[in-house]
Amino acid sequence: MKILRLITSFRGKDSQSFQLGNFIIEKLKSQDATAEILIRNLAKDETPHLSDVHINSFITPVKDLSDELQKAVQYCNNAIDELVKSDVVVMDVPMYNFGIPSSLKAWIDQITRAGITFRYTENGPVGLVKNKKVYLAIASGGIYSEGPMKEYDHTEKYLEQVLGFIGISDITTFRVEGVAIPDIKERAMPKAVQAVEEAFAS
Ligand SMILES: Cc1cc2nc3c(=O)[nH]c(=O)nc-3n(C[C@H](O)[C@H](O)[C@H](O)COP(=O)(O)O)c2cc1C
């Protein structure tokens, strides 16, 4: 099993999404001790935000790439290669302003590429990334899995939609939520860990 781990919180070991992601990784390793893990820390190693040079590099035939375009397309090609070669992806997702970190959005913008990870057909768009299992480890100060704030959550649904668009539909979400709410925050991680335990036991 090849696992791609995306770390996206800038809080290092204190990060709740990182800790939850670690727990998911431990469970995966207990299923397959030989699992290979490739870690990409998007919070630390800057992901290029899309610019016209990237778009030009995506649409220019390989043989016509200038040095500048060749350089621009490298991150994208590498990120797609890492995704395609993985069997499982674990994404740490700290909620920022109801959405995903901009670094993760930048990564998604790099890997969502017409003709490579999806293509348009006469019957509409078709995802080209197959046979992946994705685990989302979402951390949030408030509670979004239920209750009045549920509709403010633009992490899980967005990731399901955009990953679904490129062909990845096997997605399981775990949440460590309410980490900013007194009385709830103490139970947030144990509850999340229990949910992972139960999912892997079944
Ligand atoms: C810039 C920023 C924006 C945040 N926005 C939200 C938010 O919209 N809703 C929420 O419930 N928590 C919000 N939080 C709280 C984080 O989701 C929470 O601290 C979470 O644990 C962060 O993940 P991490 O521990 O993996 O870094 C925000 C935190 C930061 C730093």
Side-chain angles (χ1 to χ4, degrees):
M1 175 169 42
K2 285 188 183 347
I3 303 172
L4 174 62
R5 170 87 187 275
L6 299 181
I7 296 168
T8 68
S9 170
F10 51 75
R11 297 205 309 129
K13 289 187 169 46
D14 292 334
S15 156
Q16 301 286 307
S17 61
F18 174 74
Q19 290 173 22
L20 184 56
N22 274 355
F23 193 68
I24 297 167
I25 294 279
E26 287 311 310
K27 284 286 158 193
L28 290 167
K29 283 198 318 201
S30 71
Q31 285 183 339
D32 178 0
T34 65
E36 290 172 32
I37 305 169
L38 176 66
I39 297 174
R40 286 285 169 241
N41 189 331
L42 306 184
K44 202 161 129 243
D45 305 321
E46 202 162 310
T47 309
H49 283 91
L50 281 186
S51 67
D52 60 343
V53 73
H54 295 111
I55 301 298
N56 283 338
S57 75
F58 297 167
I59 59 174
T60 302
V62 175
K63 64 178 177 45
D64 298 330
L65 288 172
S66 63
D67 288 349
E68 185 193 27
L69 295 184
Q70 176 68 46
K71 204 170 156 214
V73 82
Q74 258 170 21
Y75 183 94
C76 169
N77 285 349
N78 192 46
I80 289 175
D81 192 48
E82 289 173 356
L83 173 66
V84 168
K85 284 185 178 149
S86 67
D87 305 299
V88 180
V89 184
V90 177
M91 286 187 194
D92 304 353
V93 187
M95 177 187 279
Y96 296 151
N97 304 312
F98 307 115
I100 65 172
S102 57
S103 59
L104 181 55
K105 177 63 166 61
W107 182 85
I108 287 168
D109 288 342
Q110 291 284 342
I111 58 111
T112 306
R113 189 165 151 200
I116 309 278
T117 54
F118 73 94
R119 70 188 168 89
Y120 292 109
T121 71
E122 41 190 46
N123 300 320
V126 174
L128 302 175
V129 184
K130 298 292 173 203
N131 305 319
K132 309 283 166 231
K133 169 79 197 172
V134 171
Y135 292 98
L136 304 177
I138 302 176
S140 58
I143 294 195
Y144 297 86
S145 61
E146 58 184 10
M149 295 306 288
K150 191 171 177 181
E151 63 181 299
Y152 283 76
D153 176 29
H154 299 283
T155 60
E156 182 179 7
K157 193 166 180 192
Y158 168 67
L159 288 168
E160 282 176 353
Q161 288 175 333
V162 73
L163 294 173
F165 182 74
I166 61 167
I168 303 173
S169 55
D170 187 357
I171 301 172
T172 300
T173 297
F174 297 107
R175 287 176 181 268
V176 49
E177 58 179 353
V179 302
I181 304 175
D183 296 335
I184 289 181
K185 64 180 177 189
E186 293 78 13
R187 281 181 286 127
M189 187 57 82
K191 203 173 159 193
V193 162
Q194 191 187 339
V196 177
E197 293 275 18
E198 284 169 8
F200 277 82
S202 61

